[in-house]
Amino acid sequence: KTENHIYKILVTLPIRIEDSCDIINFIHEIDENKKKLSFQWRIKPHPSINPNDIKDKVLIQSKDFILVSGSFYDRIKNCHLLLGNASSTILEALSFGIPTIIAANRNGITDNPIPKNVPKDVWDICYTANEFIDAFYRLVINKDKELSASQKKLSENIKSKYFEPIDKNLINKLI
């Protein structure tokens, strides 16, 4: 399953360009250590960032790096994994049943937006490329059918506990 299979990973970049550069550098390290795995990195800048700013500051020179735009939902639904940091997209991905890896901040404090009651069966925090590879095998490749079923239940639980359907009343409350 690992050879000749391309795993699609959505990478949601944070609002700070420096933090985005750190994540891109982390991806480069992973690519150098990926063994027999083939990854397609779908890099989604923060909505407030001009994608050209990312292109100008970060070396995205691999054919396996694709800068994407559009809605988060459209991007996450066809991915095997989400890589991000302190973003709400981490919890959103889990609510769609997509396993998640938090790229640890190697220069400061790592924020973890995942509630303590969400089991580590579906997510991890990684500081190194080797930790990422190990977590990827555990979360994506070696995941068994029983875990897939429990992951589906967990994603529904996350949706009901941490998200609300959008309606006019909620929008008016927000405004």
Side-chain angles (χ1 to χ4, degrees):
K1 187 175 174 180
T2 59
E3 290 184 42
N4 300 324
H5 186 83
I6 298 172
Y7 293 97
K8 297 172 200 90
I9 300 174
L10 180 62
V11 181
T12 52
L13 297 179
I15 194 166
R16 285 181 17 108
I17 295 288
E18 296 80 11
D19 293 339
S20 294
C21 290
D22 288 344
I23 290 176
I24 298 296
N25 289 334
F26 185 51
I27 293 169
H28 284 295
E29 291 173 28
I30 294 165
D31 257 5
E32 292 170 7
N33 293 291
K34 65 183 177 185
K35 302 174 183 156
K36 295 179 182 179
L37 296 171
S38 294
F39 296 130
Q40 180 187 75
W41 302 98
R42 297 175 176 191
I43 300 169
K44 184 167 182 2
H46 189 275
S48 68
I49 301 294
N50 181 338
N52 291 327
D53 291 343
I54 297 294
K55 283 183 191 174
D56 292 344
K57 300 229 186 250
V58 179
L59 293 173
I60 303 178
Q61 298 177 341
S62 168
K63 66 176 175 45
D64 299 326
F65 283 55
I66 300 169
L67 208 53
V68 298
S69 59
S71 80
F72 173 78
Y73 174 74
D74 290 339
R75 295 296 167 204
I76 194 65
K77 63 184 175 183
N78 295 315
C79 287
H80 296 97
L81 181 102
L82 177 112
L83 175 66
N85 66 2
S87 171
S88 63
T89 59
I90 291 169
L91 195 56
E92 288 179 75
L94 292 173
S95 78
F96 290 119
I98 305 295
T100 301
I101 293 178
I102 298 170
N105 183 333
R106 297 186 277 181
N107 300 313
I109 297 171
T110 298
D111 292 321
N112 179 356
I114 301 173
K116 291 186 185 325
N117 65 338
V118 175
K120 279 200 80 174
D121 296 354
V122 294
W123 67 276
D124 210 335
I125 297 177
C126 298
Y127 290 84
T128 68
N130 286 333
E131 286 178 357
F132 177 92
I133 298 298
D134 291 346
F136 186 83
Y137 269 95
R138 180 176 60 82
L139 296 170
V140 177
I141 295 172
N142 297 333
K143 180 174 66 172
D144 60 26
K145 289 180 183 173
E146 187 177 305
L147 180 59
S148 292
S150 71
Q151 189 172 343
K152 186 169 173 50
K153 286 179 191 172
L154 177 63
S155 71
E156 293 302 321
N157 187 24
I158 290 171
K159 278 181 198 169
S160 68
K161 263 189 170 173
Y162 301 105
F163 296 93
E164 293 183 31
I166 298 173
D167 66 16
K168 259 187 176 178
N169 292 334
L170 284 174
I171 292 172
N172 288 335
K173 244 179 163 175
L174 183 64
I175 297 174

